[in-house]
């Protein structure tokens, strides 16, 4: 008698079709739209960067990254925070539109095809 054994392999990548995700802490939320990824940190302890003179909305807690060029801070009056977004577990990655992000307990690191991107955590925000 032949027995079949089903083996499920779980890849550590959130499907690229997924437009939004959050980290397990619920403190970092991201959403992809029109080839751009925006990530918001809900609570942070890093020093808020200086607000541009032409920004009279929220600033210092949101970053945008496209498939080319550097990451940039976002002047915004909205949020991508959604408690219903799928969780991107620590040690897992998200990929989409020439962008990739990796979640760790230390925070989130996202890069584009040019190697430009950002690192976001409660205690730090670094653009590179």
């Amino acid at each position: 008698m032949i027995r079949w054994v089903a083996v499920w392999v779980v890849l550590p990548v959130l499907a690229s079709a997924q437009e939004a995700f959050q980290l397990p802490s619920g403190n970092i939320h991201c959403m992809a739209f029109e080839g751009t990824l925006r990530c918001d940190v809900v609570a942070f302890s890093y020093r808020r960067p200086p607000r541009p003179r032409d920004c009279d909305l929220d600033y210092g807690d949101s970053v945008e990254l496209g498939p080319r060029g550097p990451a940039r801070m976002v002047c915004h009056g909205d949020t991508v925070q959604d408690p219903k977004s799928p969780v991107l577990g620590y040690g897992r990655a998200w990929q989409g539109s020439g962008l990739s992000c990796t979640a760790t307990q230390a925070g989130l690191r996202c890069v584009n095809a040019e190697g430009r991107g950002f690192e976001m955590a409660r205690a730090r925000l670094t653009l590179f």
Side-chain angles (χ1 to χ4, degrees):
M1 172 161 56
I2 298 175
R3 291 187 180 202
W4 294 93
V5 177
V7 177
W8 295 96
V9 177
V10 179
L11 298 176
V13 175
L14 191 62
S16 60
Q18 198 67 47
E19 294 180 355
F21 63 89
Q22 63 177 309
L23 268 55
S25 67
N27 194 44
I28 296 176
H29 292 253
C30 299
M31 182 176 288
F33 49 96
E34 298 179 6
T36 300
L37 180 71
R38 175 176 157 186
C39 294
D40 295 357
V41 60
V42 178
F44 59 92
S45 60
Y46 58 81
R47 180 173 294 182
R48 187 183 301 267
R51 180 187 316 271
R53 292 181 188 252
D54 62 347
C55 176
D56 59 356
L57 300 171
D58 294 325
Y59 190 79
D61 60 348
S62 183
V63 177
E64 195 172 75
L65 179 65
R68 296 178 190 263
R72 67 178 192 87
M73 300 297 298
V74 179
C75 176
H76 64 95
D78 60 356
T79 183
V80 298
Q81 179 184 1
D82 182 354
K84 297 178 200 166
S85 293
V87 173
L88 179 63
Y90 298 132
R92 297 197 178 257
W94 173 91
Q95 294 178 348
S97 302
L99 306 169
S100 64
C101 298
T102 303
T104 68
Q105 290 183 343
L108 181 70
R109 178 182 172 88
C110 297
V111 296
N112 61 19
E114 296 177 339
R116 307 297 297 269
F118 65 91
E119 290 182 351
M120 177 180 274
R122 180 180 304 272
R124 75 179 184 291
L125 178 60
T126 306
L127 307 181
F128 54 88

